[in-house]
Amino acid sequence: MGMATDRRASWLKGVLDLLVLSCLTDGESYGYEIARRLEEAGLGTIRGGTLYPVLNRLEEAGLLDAEFRAAERGPGRRYYRLTEAGSTVLHEQGAAWNEFHRLVGEHLAKGLAGRRPEGITGKGPTA
Amino acid sequence: MTTERGTEGMSPMKATQATQATDTTQGTGWFTELADELRRRGMAERRIGETVTELSDHLLDSGADPVEEFGPAGDLAARLAGDGGAGPGTAGGRVGDGTLPEDAGDAGAREWRFACDQYVDRDVLNRQGDLGWEVVRVDALGRFVCRRDPAEPLRWEYRREVVRRRDREEYAAELAPDGWEPCGYWLYMAYYKRPLSAATGAAGALEPGDAEPGRPWYVGRRVRTMYLALGAMLLCFIPVIVMRGGPSAATWIGAAVGGTVGGAVGWWAMRRDIERGVRDEL
């Protein structure tokens, strides 16, 4: 079980910055909300220690703008917004990720074909 | 109501209040440590205040304790501020270039450049490679650009060959099956690297941990002697020329001829030494 979580964590690490960018396509958001949305999407719990360095790097690279606002309740938050550059990079890299994902899937399918999956008539993986 | 004047006086207090909501002494201590670490790494004071406030707010929402949510304060500070970085909005060389930034895992890697003469290069490379330094390329000044990953340092070995430009690809392809990969070219020399793990497996890995870079340059005995001799020669001739009222046409002609002939002989001799793989002591 530990190994499965580790592997998943390392997949997530490779794509987290794109996921964060994609959370901002329909408007601005703040750290906790971004983490919550990703968790609700089934991607697991994103800890603050993982999320904020990513937000920082994206901001430093000019892909996000951030604005600090004192909140009605609580200390205050930074609200993040996608920039033009961020949108462009998201589209380009998102497409690249999809292509990569497709190639991985195809290669794995070849490897898995012909092996009888447990409890299913040996039809092999479906497309 | 925002920003500029809002954060200064407000954030530390509100941050403290926020942390008191979760866990008093530990929370405050964690944020204090974070602020100190960020300050140490050169982050601007206003940015530190914003960061502490932002993270406190996050903690309020998540209800976790700081170490659980963010990890050790020092580690987070390193990933937020880098080594001497000061956060967004400053000239860090990586600002606003519109490409996806590299993972912090890579940013934790150390970089180091050094130059050395061709008599000691292989020994220096192999010694440093054994400590986990990997040559990434040779820069325009002929220096080796190295990096070392503290998380998973590997031991590297190096070799040098004399390879003509047009033969580079072919040569690299010949060495590739044995695990050698070209890591830099300089003049007619080609350097190759190979992780020791290719031959020795797990023994080729080092314990995770950081290591200090070495010197910026390494010069062996021969080259040192050469520079000393050059210096001595200049010390002899220049005062004489000055005393005689400056260089005449003859001086310039002599210097040009001598320089060309000497230079050509030196180049040839150096190349011969390189082809023979002559080594030197540091």
Side-chain angles (χ1 to χ4, degrees), chain A residues 46-93:
Chain A
I46 318 280
R47 299 222 174 282
T50 312
L51 179 64
Y52 286 98
V54 172
L55 285 167
N56 251 33
R57 280 203 304 281
L58 292 171
E59 192 188 341
E60 266 181 51
L63 306 180
L64 295 179
D65 272 337
E67 192 195 339
F68 183 86
R69 287 188 218 141
E72 321 76 40
R73 55 103 246 160
R77 301 170 178 151
R78 294 186 94 230
Y79 283 83
Y80 297 90
R81 201 179 47 84
L82 205 57
T83 60
E84 280 278 333
S87 183
T88 309
V89 167
L90 172 60
H91 282 98
E92 286 171 6
Q93 295 303 316

Side-chain angles (χ1 to χ4, degrees), chain B residues 183-271:
Chain B
C183 58
Y185 296 105
W186 182 246
L187 302 178
Y188 41 81
M189 288 170 285
Y191 294 90
Y192 303 90
K193 65 184 176 189
R194 177 170 76 178
L196 274 164
S197 297
T200 62
L206 289 164
E207 285 299 308
D210 210 352
E212 286 299 312
R215 303 209 301 257
W217 44 262
Y218 295 85
V219 172
R221 236 185 9 176
R222 279 172 195 250
V223 176
R224 254 205 312 271
T225 313
M226 183 192 87
Y227 280 124
L228 282 170
L230 182 67
M233 190 195 77
L234 288 171
L235 271 174
C236 293
F237 282 114
I238 289 181
V240 169
I241 293 171
V242 166
M243 280 195 309
R244 285 172 163 226
S248 63
T251 319
W252 288 122
I253 294 170
V257 171
T260 312
V261 172
V265 169
W267 181 272
W268 170 82
M270 189 173 75
R271 179 160 180 152

Side-chain angles (χ1 to χ4, degrees), chain B residues 28-45 48-49 51-52 73-74 77:
Chain B
T28 320
W30 190 92
F31 281 103
T32 312
E33 190 186 338
L34 179 72
D36 287 341
E37 284 290 318
L38 290 172
R39 203 167 287 125
R40 193 172 71 80
R41 287 165 194 280
M43 191 184 266
E45 203 57 42
I48 295 177
T51 305
V52 168

Side-chain angles (χ1 to χ4, degrees), chain B residues 91-104:
Chain B
R94 288 177 4 185
V95 175
D97 61 359
T99 55
L100 263 183
E102 263 185 21
D103 193 284

